[in-house]
């Protein structure tokens, strides 16, 4: 324990460690959360759409107020939403004709109406009502015939089935995925959706991509740095020996990973509670993506994505420490570590589907947002929904890397 404490203290004394932690927090919490909520995404639109105001907190409350009146997603509430939206849009057009510009208050009401989410539902569930001549001119909810928006949940089932067929997921695979979809409870509760869409689609699911950079910088020098500092002869003479030292370094690397994740996760959660509160946590994730098959609500999906990032980060830490143990040059260890994460990310969409699935299993390469998808793995005649594997396999890979890391460190120490 004393050796671990000394190694841990040594790691945190480095300026590079402190700078990496600070930059990671600034990017994930400051830019990725605070500025997104208060300004870049949820600030109200300026006149003539010339950017956004720094009033996200108040604007989010207006968005939540607008959607609160619908409560449950049914044919009737969807039709009511569309009628209300058409009235708002008509008011914008009238203002343009009378005054030559839009009324800013009406613009804000249109922007706060969950516009993008609902139009996504319409395109998915009522594709035959979409007019090609109106693409890029106006949104679907502005011209769709309200009385034709019926059979919402039957259409959702049909949309899921059609998507699986287009995706060539038929036979046993289709049946397996539809059995998961059968657990989705209807009707769906309806609150403001775009906030949760950003949390699950960007904020939490993107944490691992950012953390990989800073974990690589800090942990790549954990073992290799001893060669850079010419301390290896001294270590061979210590009473603890290389085995205890290697164990202490591995514990330090895992502890640092947990500490960095905790700081980043705590910051994003606190800001989420401040700006969004807890409203809408019990909405099904289908309110974000109608053809999602997971029987999860927003809170469950967020917990999954945080767990995915944490276990993936620990797995990636194991990979980085393996490279650090085998490389005498910590720069080489850093480059290998970065390549292990960002290399597969870069070519992910340029390789066959089989290789995409293999890359998704690597630490911090896949995405927790797979809960919205229908990807599967096929083993020994059985299908497994990808989120079941993506959360555990990267962690196991990292743990398995620790054993050769210790042996590699021992071999180099004896040379």
């Amino acid at each position: 324990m004393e050796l671990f404490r000394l190694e841990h203290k040594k790691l945190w004394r480095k300026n590079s460690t402190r700078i990496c932690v600070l930059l990671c927090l600034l990017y994930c919490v400051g830019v990725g959360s605070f500025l997104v909520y208060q300004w870049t995404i949820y600030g109200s639109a300026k006149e003539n759409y010339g950017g956004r105001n720094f009033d996200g907190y108040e604007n989010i409350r207006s968005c939540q107020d607008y959607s609160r009146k619908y409560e449950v997603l049914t044919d009737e509430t969807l039709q009511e939403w569309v009628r209300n939206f058409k009235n708002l849009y008509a008011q914008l057009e009238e203002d343009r004709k009378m005054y030559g510009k839009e009324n800013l208050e009406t613009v804000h009401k249109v922007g706060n109406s969950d516009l993008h989410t609902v139009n996504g539902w319409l395109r998915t569930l009522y594709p035959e009502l979409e007019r090609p001549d109106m693409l890029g001119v106006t949104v679907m909810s502005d011209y769709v015939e309200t009385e034709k928006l019926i059979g919402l949940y039957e259409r959702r089932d049909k949309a899921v089935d059609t998507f699986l067929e287009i995706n060539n997921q038929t036979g046993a695979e289709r049946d397996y995925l539809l059995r998961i979809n059968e657990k989705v409870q209807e009707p769906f509760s309806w609150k403001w959706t775009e906030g949760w869409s950003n949390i699950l689609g960007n904020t939490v699911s993107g944490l691992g991509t950012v953390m990989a950079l800073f974990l690589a910088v800090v942990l790549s020098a954990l073992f290799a740095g001893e060669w850079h500092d010419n301390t290896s002869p001294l270590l061979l003479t210590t009473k603890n020996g290389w085995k205890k030292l290697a164990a202490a370094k591995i514990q330090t690397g895992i502890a640092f990973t947990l500490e960095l994740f905790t700081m980043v996760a705590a910051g994003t959660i606190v800001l989420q509670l401040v700006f969004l509160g807890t409203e809408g946590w019990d909405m099904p994730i289908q309110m974000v993506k109608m053809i999602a098959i997971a029987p999860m609500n927003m809170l469950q999906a967020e917990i999954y994505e945080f767990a995915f990032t944490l276990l993936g980060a620990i797995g990636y830490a194991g990979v980085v420490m393996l490279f650090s143990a085998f490389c005498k040059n910590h720069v080489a260890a850093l480059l290998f570590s970065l390549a292990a994460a960002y290399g597969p990310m870069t070519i992910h969409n340029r390789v066959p589907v089989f290789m995409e699935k293999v890359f998704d299993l690597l630490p911090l390469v896949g995405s927790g947002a797979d809960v919205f998808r229908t990807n599967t793995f096929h083993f020994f005649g059985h299908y497994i929904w990808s989120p079941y594997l993506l959360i555990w396999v990267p962690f196991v890979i990292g743990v398995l890397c620790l054993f050769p890391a210790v042996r590699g460190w021992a071999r180099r120490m004896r040379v």
Side-chain angles (χ1 to χ4, degrees), residues 308 348 355-367 377 379 386 388-395 397:
F308 171 88
H348 187 276
M355 287 304 300
E356 285 185 15
K357 293 184 176 182
V358 172
F359 286 163
D360 285 340
L361 295 173
L362 299 177
L364 296 185
V365 175
S367 172
F377 291 87
F379 296 108
S386 62
Y388 295 150
L389 289 180
L390 263 58
I391 194 172
W392 292 112
V393 173
F395 173 75
I397 290 174

Side-chain angles (χ1 to χ4, degrees), residues 24 28 207-216 257 260-261 264 309 313 364:
C24 188
C28 294
L207 289 181
T209 304
V210 180
M211 286 183 62
L213 171 62
F214 300 105
L215 287 174
T257 303
L260 181 61
F261 171 82
V264 171
T309 303
L364 296 185

Side-chain angles (χ1 to χ4, degrees), residues 141-195:
S141 53
D142 180 38
Y143 62 79
V144 69
E145 297 178 56
T146 311
E147 63 276 6
K148 292 185 178 180
L149 301 178
I150 56 176
L152 187 151
Y153 291 103
E154 292 80 3
R155 283 177 168 271
R156 179 189 169 271
D157 291 337
K158 182 180 178 182
V160 171
D161 205 26
T162 301
F163 175 79
L164 295 178
E165 184 178 351
I166 293 174
N167 210 34
N168 201 29
Q169 293 178 294
T170 57
E173 184 179 13
R174 170 187 175 275
D175 295 339
Y176 168 71
L177 293 171
L178 289 180
R179 283 197 298 272
I180 297 176
N181 180 63
E182 287 174 359
K183 299 176 183 178
V184 176
Q185 296 183 356
E186 301 170 353
F188 303 155
S189 59
W190 187 354
K191 295 292 188 293
W192 183 56
T193 305
E194 289 185 10

Side-chain angles (χ1 to χ4, degrees), residues 256-274:
F256 174 79
T257 303
L258 293 174
E259 290 160 351
L260 181 61
F261 171 82
T262 300
M263 287 185 284
V264 171
T268 56
I269 291 172
V270 167
L271 287 176
Q272 176 185 333
L273 291 174
V274 169

Side-chain angles (χ1 to χ4, degrees), residues 228-293:
H228 179 267
D229 298 335
N230 293 319
T231 58
S232 53
L234 177 63
L235 294 175
L236 288 171
T237 65
T238 60
K239 63 178 180 179
N240 293 300
W242 62 266
K243 284 186 178 180
K244 290 184 178 179
L245 180 61
K249 286 183 175 292
I250 286 173
Q251 292 169 10
T252 298
I254 294 175
F256 174 79
T257 303
L258 293 174
E259 290 160 351
L260 181 61
F261 171 82
T262 300
M263 287 185 284
V264 171
T268 56
I269 291 172
V270 167
L271 287 176
Q272 176 185 333
L273 291 174
V274 169
F275 282 92
L276 301 181
T278 59
E279 186 172 312
W281 68 269
D282 57 343
M283 284 191 300
I285 65 171
Q286 285 70 29
M287 295 294 283
V288 173
K289 186 176 182 181
M290 275 290 170
I291 59 173
I293 62 170

Side-chain angles (χ1 to χ4, degrees), residues 71-344:
E71 296 185 355
V72 179
L73 179 61
T74 63
D75 292 349
E76 291 74 19
T77 55
L78 180 59
Q79 291 173 2
E80 180 186 355
W81 184 96
V82 172
R83 282 193 294 268
N84 292 338
F85 181 84
K86 286 185 175 182
N87 291 334
L88 287 175
Y89 215 81
Q91 184 62 50
L92 283 180
E93 292 295 327
E94 185 177 338
D95 290 340
R96 288 194 194 104
K97 293 177 180 178
M98 291 185 62
Y99 307 109
K101 64 177 183 179
E102 299 169 340
N103 182 282
L104 197 56
E105 182 179 351
T106 309
V107 170
H108 290 166
K109 288 181 179 179
V110 170
N112 295 345
S113 64
D114 237 354
L115 161 69
H116 303 292
T117 298
V118 179
N119 276 278
W121 302 343
L122 296 178
R123 288 193 299 272
T124 300
L125 304 180
Y126 304 93
E128 75 282 2
L129 302 181
E130 189 169 20
R131 291 170 49 183
D133 60 308
M134 301 301 286
L135 292 177
V137 178
T138 187
V139 290
M140 188 174 175
S141 53
D142 180 38
Y143 62 79
V144 69
E145 297 178 56
T146 311
E147 63 276 6
K148 292 185 178 180
L149 301 178
I150 56 176
L152 187 151
Y153 291 103
E154 292 80 3
R155 283 177 168 271
R156 179 189 169 271
D157 291 337
K158 182 180 178 182
V160 171
D161 205 26
T162 301
F163 175 79
L164 295 178
E165 184 178 351
I166 293 174
N167 210 34
N168 201 29
Q169 293 178 294
T170 57
E173 184 179 13
R174 170 187 175 275
D175 295 339
Y176 168 71
L177 293 171
L178 289 180
R179 283 197 298 272
I180 297 176
N181 180 63
E182 287 174 359
K183 299 176 183 178
V184 176
Q185 296 183 356
E186 301 170 353
F188 303 155
S189 59
W190 187 354
K191 295 292 188 293
W192 183 56
T193 305
E194 289 185 10
W196 283 101
S197 177
N198 181 67
I199 290 171
L200 300 178
N202 298 298
T203 303
V204 182
S205 62
L207 289 181
T209 304
V210 180
M211 286 183 62
L213 171 62
F214 300 105
L215 287 174
V217 173
V218 174
L219 299 183
S220 61
L222 199 60
F223 288 99
E226 302 293 358
W227 298 97
H228 179 267
D229 298 335
N230 293 319
T231 58
S232 53
L234 177 63
L235 294 175
L236 288 171
T237 65
T238 60
K239 63 178 180 179
N240 293 300
W242 62 266
K243 284 186 178 180
K244 290 184 178 179
L245 180 61
K249 286 183 175 292
I250 286 173
Q251 292 169 10
T252 298
I254 294 175
F256 174 79
T257 303
L258 293 174
E259 290 160 351
L260 181 61
F261 171 82
T262 300
M263 287 185 284
V264 171
T268 56
I269 291 172
V270 167
L271 287 176
Q272 176 185 333
L273 291 174
V274 169
F275 282 92
L276 301 181
T278 59
E279 186 172 312
W281 68 269
D282 57 343
M283 284 191 300
I285 65 171
Q286 285 70 29
M287 295 294 283
V288 173
K289 186 176 182 181
M290 275 290 170
I291 59 173
I293 62 170
M296 289 183 175
N297 61 36
M298 301 295 185
L299 179 59
Q300 290 169 333
E302 184 176 12
I303 292 173
Y304 173 88
E305 291 193 2
F306 271 122
F308 171 88
T309 303
L310 173 59
L311 294 175
I314 294 174
Y316 183 67
V319 173
V320 176
M321 287 188 281
L322 174 65
F323 288 132
S324 181
F326 273 86
C327 296
K328 286 188 175 183
N329 187 327
H330 70 278
V331 175
L334 172 60
L335 293 177
F336 281 124
S337 300
L338 293 175
Y342 295 107

Side-chain angles (χ1 to χ4, degrees), residues 365-393:
V365 175
S367 172
D370 253 43
V371 294
F372 291 98
R373 301 170 186 145
T374 61
N375 298 333
T376 62
F377 291 87
H378 190 233
F379 296 108
F380 307 109
H382 296 281
Y383 288 98
I384 302 177
W385 187 41
S386 62
Y388 295 150
L389 289 180
L390 263 58
I391 194 172
W392 292 112
V393 173

